[in-house]
Amino acid sequence: DPSRCSTAMGIRTWLLTASKQARRVGERLSAEHREGWPVDAVYVTSLRRTHQTAAPLVAELAIDHVVVPELREVFLGEWEQQFRARVASMDPIAVRMFAEERWDVIPGAESSTAFAARLRVGVERIASTHPDGRVVAVVHGGVIGHLLSMATGSSPFAFVGADNGSISELVVQADGRWRVRRFNDVTH
C-alpha cells in the first residue's frame, strides 16, 4: 500500500529531524546551564517522544527527567492517530476545529476546559516544587499553544504551531500570574 510507505517514510524523516533538533536544543540549554542559567530539573510527559527529546539534555546535565502526566498532549478522541492526515486533507471537522478554536469539535476529544485544568495542575505542581528555579519541560505543540494562550488571555489557538525543538518560555510569578517571555525560539 503506497500510502503506508509514504507514512512510514514521513515518520522516519520526522524521527531523524527530531533527533537532530533534540541534540541542538540540548546543547543550547546545557550551554546556558554552564553559563550561569542553571537548569534545576527536566520534566517530560508520559509520551515517549518527550523522553527522547529530553535525552541529550538530561545526559549532558547528568540528571534524571521527571514525568508530569498532566502535561500530556491534548487527547484527540477518534483522531488520536489520524490528526495530521485529517488536517492535511481539510476534513470539514478540522476546518471547523480551527474556525472555532476548540479541540472537542473532534468526536471524543478533550474539551478546552478540561485540557486547561489539567495543564494548570501540572504547571502549578512544577512551580511549587521549584519556586525560584529554572526548569525545562519537554512538551507537545498543543500543550505549548494552550499554556501560552492561558498566560496571555489570547484566543485558544493563537500559539498553535510551535516548531519542533523550539523554546518557549513561561514564567510563573510568586503571585501566581503567568507571563510569556519568549515563543518559538529556534536560534540554536
Side-chain angles (χ1 to χ4, degrees):
D1 177 13
S3 67
R4 292 193 71 163
C5 293
S6 174
T7 301
M9 292 300 287
I11 290 170
R12 258 188 243 119
T13 301
W14 181 85
L15 290 173
L16 290 172
T17 303
S19 174
K20 186 176 182 180
Q21 292 163 336
R23 183 180 43 75
R24 284 186 176 158
V25 76
E27 289 169 354
R28 178 173 175 189
L29 294 172
S30 295
E32 290 179 6
H33 177 81
R34 289 188 303 274
E35 293 166 3
W37 294 92
V39 173
D40 299 315
V42 176
Y43 289 90
V44 296
T45 76
S46 55
L47 296 178
R48 183 179 59 200
R49 65 183 183 258
T50 61
H51 299 236
Q52 294 166 334
T53 302
L57 178 60
V58 298
E60 179 70 28
L61 299 179
I63 61 175
D64 289 327
H65 61 262
V66 178
V67 176
V68 179
E70 294 87 358
L71 296 183
R72 187 180 197 275
E73 183 63 289
V74 63
F75 178 68
L76 296 171
E78 294 178 13
W79 287 18
E80 248 329 271
Q81 302 299 319
Q82 310 166 28
F83 181 77
R84 290 178 191 266
R86 294 279 190 120
V87 169
S89 72
M90 298 295 290
D91 185 292
I93 292 174
V95 172
R96 183 175 160 219
M97 176 197 69
F98 283 111
E100 294 181 21
E101 299 191 36
R102 291 182 29 232
W103 299 109
D104 60 354
V105 168
I106 299 168
E110 186 171 20
S111 73
S112 293
T113 303
F115 188 37
R118 174 167 63 80
L119 295 178
R120 185 170 294 283
V121 168
V123 168
E124 289 178 353
R125 180 159 31 113
I126 291 170
S128 68
T129 305
H130 305 279
D132 295 315
R134 182 173 182 244
V135 302
V136 173
V138 180
V139 297
H140 314 276
V143 171
I144 293 166
H146 213 81
L147 288 172
L148 299 186
S149 76
M150 290 166 63
T152 62
S154 68
S155 63
F157 283 22
F159 293 96
V160 168
D163 293 323
N164 287 339
S166 65
I167 298 172
S168 295
E169 190 172 356
L170 177 67
V171 177
V172 179
Q173 297 176 286
D175 64 4
R177 289 183 295 168
W178 295 7
R179 298 283 184 245
V180 176
R181 185 159 292 154
R182 65 181 147 168
F183 169 65
N184 206 41
D185 180 346
V186 291
T187 58
H188 40 277

